[in-house]
């Protein structure tokens, strides 16, 4: 096996040239310099020879191992990633071998992508948003962006969420630039309630958490109405929202069924007109995230323990946490407008 050559430093080269040029006491020969610095004679001679010809001790441009791919071929590799951000470095290397006739390691592919500012990130989970619902999101944001904070403080936010006993869903990684996390092609589209063993309905306002209830069976419009009947008014009273509170829910079919709207009318409940596919506008999504972080501080062995921890975390949630979430509504509306109705960082 051949010995790896170690390159001399700029400082070493400077000392060699200084010794070769000499001073009032004279100069040294390449052999004397080689012996003094304990360097190979040919190494010393090459440094001096290069200095004679170029008057520099720095490396000349173009030195080092040449790239296996030329500029056009690198553009082809980058185009592959732009078309399919989910392609792995191994897949891209295999594709390059077939299309370009050049074999490269995944490490080489990653280096080419990194040079263009592309890094491998986990795809963010965001719901797919249709063009029709993009417009509805824009309309909602325009209508509510200038609402006073007192308006949002009257809202009773509600939602269902599922919690897993063990871990969570798999992750997908994509090649993207730092500021391109929310582009549709870089997202990991999700469908709500995609797994888990415990479903929870809950509500809250800026004043704190309201009631929370476990759903032990498949929820339909009638079970949903029973939950509302047993929890909404008592939560509004608990949180001192007064009689003119506003109830918020998403557009799940059981929430928008005719019988559910009849329930709202019968109970004289004002319901916020909510845009579809908009969990990023609903601060309760971040409340669920807060509960998730609290219950995962130690492993959860079973469903009973999971329910116990959810109850403890829910009851321990402070008004500071819920107030901060509701205070973000104007920022959320602004983010929707800036994203032109598309997904936001929320």
């Amino acid at each position: 096996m051949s010995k790896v050559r170690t390159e001399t430093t700029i400082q070493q080269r400077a000392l060699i040239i200084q010794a070769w040029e000499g001073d009032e006491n004279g100069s040294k020969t390449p052999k004397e310099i080689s012996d003094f610095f304990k360097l190979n004679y040919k190494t010393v001679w090459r440094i001096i020879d290069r200095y004679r010809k170029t008057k520099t001790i720095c490396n000349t441009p173009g030195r080092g191992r040449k790239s296996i791919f030329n500029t056009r071929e690198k553009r082809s590799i980058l185009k592959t990633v732009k078309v399919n951000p989910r392609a792995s470095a191994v897949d891209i290397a295999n594709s390059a071998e077939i299309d370009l006739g050049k074999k490269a390691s995944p490490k080489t592919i990653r280096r080419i992508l990194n040079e263009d500012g592309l890094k491998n990130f986990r795809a963010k989970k965001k719901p797919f948003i249709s063009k029709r619902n993009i417009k509805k999101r824009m309309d909602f944001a325009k209508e509510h962006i200038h609402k006073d904070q007192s308006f949002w403080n009257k809202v009773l936010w509600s939602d269902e969420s599922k919690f897993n006993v063990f871990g969570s869903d798999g992750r997908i990684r994509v090649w993207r630039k730092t500021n391109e996390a929310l582009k549709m092609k870089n997202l990991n589209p999700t469908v709500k309630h995609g797994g888990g063993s415990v479903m929870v309905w809950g509500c809250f306002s800026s004043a704190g958490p309201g009631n929370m209830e476990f759903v032990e069976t498949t929820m339909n419009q009638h079970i949903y109405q029973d939950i509302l009947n047993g929890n909404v008014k008592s939560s509004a009273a608990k949180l001192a929202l007064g009689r003119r509170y506003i109830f918020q829910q998403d557009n799940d079919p059981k929430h928008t069924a005719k019988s559910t709207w009849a329930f709202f009318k019968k109970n004289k409940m004002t319901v916020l007109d909510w845009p579809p596919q908009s969990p990023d506008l609903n601060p309760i999504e971040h409340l669920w995230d807060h509960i998730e972080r609290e219950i995962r501080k130690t492993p959860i062995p079973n469903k009973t323990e999971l329910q116990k921890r959810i109850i403890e975390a829910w009851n321990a949630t402070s008004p500071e946490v819920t107030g901060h979430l509701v205070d973000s509504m104007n920022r959320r509306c602004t983010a929707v407008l800036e994203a032109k109705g598309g997904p936001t960082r929320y």
Side-chain angles (χ1 to χ4, degrees), residues 140 144 152 154-160 192-193 201-204 219-229 232 245-265 269-285 288 329:
F140 178 89
H144 293 84
W152 298 116
K154 293 187 299 181
V155 177
L156 183 65
W157 307 89
S158 74
D159 193 20
E160 302 91 44
K192 204 172 184 185
H193 311 319
W201 178 92
C203 63
F204 84 102
M219 185 186 287
N220 57 32
Q221 55 190 300
H222 306 294
I223 293 174
Y224 180 61
Q225 291 159 31
D226 288 340
I227 289 173
L228 298 184
N229 190 51
V232 172
Y245 66 90
I246 302 168
F247 181 69
Q248 183 276 339
Q249 62 173 8
D250 62 24
N251 289 275
D252 187 284
K254 57 183 168 285
H255 298 175
T256 57
K258 288 183 179 179
S259 63
T260 302
W261 282 111
F263 171 87
F264 292 141
K265 185 176 181 179
M269 291 173 58
T270 301
V271 180
L272 186 63
D273 186 15
W274 194 251
Q277 297 172 318
S278 298
D280 55 344
L281 275 169
N282 193 347
I284 200 171
E285 296 292 344
W288 294 132
M329 282 310 300

Side-chain angles (χ1 to χ4, degrees), residues 137-172:
R137 283 163 55 83
M138 287 287 287
D139 292 342
F140 178 89
K142 289 176 182 177
E143 181 182 351
H144 293 84
I145 190 170
H146 296 302
K147 291 288 186 182
D148 187 83
Q149 193 58 40
S150 61
F151 170 84
W152 298 116
N153 291 344
K154 293 187 299 181
V155 177
L156 183 65
W157 307 89
S158 74
D159 193 20
E160 302 91 44
S161 184
K162 279 191 177 181
F163 294 87
N164 297 323
V165 174
F166 305 106
S168 59
D169 300 331
R171 300 174 176 181
I172 292 178

Side-chain angles (χ1 to χ4, degrees), residues 179-223:
N179 60 347
E180 294 181 348
L182 297 174
K183 283 195 173 182
M184 283 293 185
K185 66 180 182 179
N186 295 331
L187 296 176
N188 183 12
T190 61
V191 177
K192 204 172 184 185
H193 311 319
S197 59
V198 174
M199 176 177 269
V200 183
W201 178 92
C203 63
F204 84 102
S205 77
S206 61
N211 291 353
M212 181 272 291
E213 182 174 326
F214 291 107
V215 183
E216 301 294 347
T217 186
T218 302
M219 185 186 287
N220 57 32
Q221 55 190 300
H222 306 294
I223 293 174

